[in-house]
Amino acid sequence: YTLSSDGQLHRLNITNGEEVAPPIKFLPPNGKPYSLNLVDNVVYTTTGQRCGGNPNGVWAASLSDRSVASWHSNGGGVWGLAGAAMGTDGTVYAAVADGPWDPAKDIYSDTVIALTPKDLKLKDWYTPSNREWITKRDLDMNVTPVVFPYKGRDLLVTSGKEGRFFLLDSKSLGG
């Protein structure tokens, strides 16, 4: 799979580069996607820096029915070069940074988000208690969370520019 600058998701034959299926209109053109992750026949990616005037967010394209879903931060970019991370139950996790924050208005930044698989509905989020201090010093979350199973649940670890690690329990991120 590859993503072209016009936002089309292509499935290519790895031996000769020929398309093996019609492309899927996945993202708006000229965005800045980070990594493609394939889980349960759904391709996920994230976008940041509002490149091309496009929203920052998490995107999902179902290869089964060719449907596309997205979640927009309405604020910061979704960071981490590895894109979104997936939990053992299919939950999609990502780190948002570099923007305004007001969960009452669905605006997220300096936050780890948890989304439902495929349709990308917001399930939960975690924002550090020192967010105001972090924002003033540009020390935001900027790493794809790492998800690992531990005693029947998923734990997440992520960090930000201030060098602090955040260990989170997937059952209750805090939002």
Side-chain angles (χ1 to χ4, degrees), residues 48-93:
Q49 294 184 319
R50 295 195 42 77
C51 283
N54 295 312
N56 296 325
V58 179
W59 307 78
S62 169
L63 301 177
S64 303
D65 64 11
R66 302 176 54 82
S67 63
V68 174
S70 63
W71 174 88
H72 301 157
S73 71
N74 298 320
V78 182
W79 292 101
L81 294 180
M86 308 316 165
T88 57
D89 65 352
T91 298
V92 179
Y93 298 97

